[in-house]
Amino acid sequence: MSKGPPPLPSPLTRAEALRRLTQAFSAAGLANPRGDARFLAEHALGLSASELILQGQAPLGEAGARALEEAAAKRLAGEPVARIIGAWEFWGLPFRLSPETLVPRPDTETLVEASLRLFPEPARPLRLVDLGTGSGCILVALLHERSHAFGIGLDSSRDALATARENATANGIGTRAAFLRGCWLDALSGPFDLIVSNPPYIGTGVIPTLDAEVRGHDPMAALDGGPDGLDAYRAIFSEIARRPRLLAPGGALAVEIGYDQAETVTALGRKAGFSDITLAHDLAGHPRVVTLRPSLSIRE
């Protein structure tokens, strides 16, 4: 990465500043220089995407120049765009971020899609819980699509819960969501029609090999899944096996997995008594979500 941002004197037009910033990001080897520059310019200048285009010949101005140079310096130092902005989009909805929340990834939309397929009737009343809710993006997306559903977001971080609660309110589903502090299913009694989770699933030894933007800025508790990356799945599956009434009759569990974990997570599910198990693939064709329903015997 380069040592610092390009000079952006205030007489520059917004369009010229955007061009210079894109060139600097490209020279620094950033993967998406044009997109990064555009997002940061919109944020720093307080403009929408259309305003940045339509008002591109307006002068940058002193305040705009300072704000954009500051944002550019952070990006060139390795801070992800979403962290600089403090917000990101998921499922077409805006989500505020905080230090204890992951940046929502497009792959996680596969979990929302798979969960909605499990309960395709839009007007069906549902009780659902999102384990390790983080920013609340999964829970909010599901409640946004199912207007008769009520959901609980559970997380061990007070910071994450406050952020999730704010996002639920901002996206208009706050009255149908509650947020609790706890570890996986310990604080819950159920029954739930749907239990969802994007748990930490990266093996402890793999974390040092992750991209610096991930290991340096995402919360470690949301990444580290234990020695083999499977600790959270074991905890969730075993608790449902121990307390089968956590799931309502016809209820289901849906979990996001790493690209190479389909076989092992599926095997753990079968061992815990789940018999109806399916996989959903992300846009790259990788297995990304496992959905599970228990056999009759697990409920007896």
Side-chain angles (χ1 to χ4, degrees):
M1 294 212 174
S2 63
K3 295 181 180 179
L8 299 172
S10 59
L12 279 181
T13 65
R14 292 163 173 172
E16 177 60 19
L18 182 62
R19 186 184 68 80
R20 290 193 186 186
L21 202 58
T22 301
Q23 289 177 338
F25 287 173
S26 180
L30 297 183
N32 185 22
R34 186 182 300 274
D36 287 0
R38 179 173 61 82
F39 280 126
L40 292 181
E42 291 169 9
H43 171 69
L45 302 177
L47 300 173
S48 67
S50 60
E51 288 171 339
L52 183 61
I53 295 171
L54 295 174
Q55 302 173 22
Q57 296 310 307
L60 190 58
E62 291 185 9
R66 287 195 301 271
L68 193 52
E69 284 183 348
E70 181 180 343
K74 290 179 180 179
R75 184 69 190 103
L76 289 167
E79 189 170 342
V81 171
R83 295 293 178 191
I84 299 170
I85 295 173
W88 208 240
E89 184 179 286
F90 179 83
W91 202 256
L93 302 169
F95 289 89
R96 190 178 76 81
L97 305 177
S98 60
E100 296 300 312
T101 64
L102 283 174
V103 177
R105 267 70 165 181
D107 285 343
T108 300
E109 293 190 353
T110 307
L111 178 57
V112 176
E113 293 166 352
S115 298
L116 293 173
R117 285 196 297 270
L118 290 168
F119 299 95
E121 305 90 346
R124 176 174 173 173
L126 293 172
R127 285 172 52 87
L128 58 97
V129 62
D130 177 21
L131 305 177
T133 196
S135 67
C137 64
I138 298 167
L139 178 68
V140 170
L142 289 170
L143 293 179
H144 186 266
E145 295 298 325
R146 295 292 180 263
S147 60
H148 294 272
F150 177 85
I152 295 174
L154 185 136
D155 206 286
S156 60
S157 165
R158 286 192 175 91
D159 172 89
L161 291 170
T163 302
R165 187 178 293 109
E166 181 179 325
N167 285 327
T169 300
N171 282 292
I173 56 84
T175 58
R176 294 188 288 116
F179 296 92
L180 299 175
R181 190 173 185 221
C183 182
W184 304 125
L185 290 159
D186 293 351
L188 304 170
S189 59
F192 298 100
D193 300 290
L194 175 64
I195 298 173
V196 297
S197 184
N198 176 20
Y201 54 69
I202 299 171
T204 304
V206 177
I207 287 176
T209 71
L210 296 177
D211 187 282
E213 292 187 12
V214 175
R215 69 174 187 271
H217 295 276
D218 277 338
M220 196 57 56
L223 299 175
D224 193 342
D228 61 359
L230 301 173
D231 282 2
Y233 303 110
R234 292 190 183 94
I236 295 169
F237 294 168
S238 63
E239 190 63 14
I240 294 175
R242 187 178 74 84
R243 294 193 291 145
R245 307 264 173 217
L246 283 166
L247 280 174
L253 168 66
V255 293
E256 181 170 332
I257 60 171
Y259 74 96
D260 59 350
Q261 292 177 320
E263 185 176 341
T264 50
V265 173
T266 298
L268 287 173
R270 288 199 182 97
K271 184 178 179 181
F274 293 93
S275 58
D276 184 359
I277 302 176
T278 61
L279 296 176
H281 295 73
D282 59 25
L283 292 176
H286 299 304
R288 182 58 58 183
V289 173
V290 179
T291 64
L292 312 96
R293 279 189 162 110
S295 63
L296 292 176
S297 60
I298 198 174
R299 299 197 53 82
E300 294 174 354

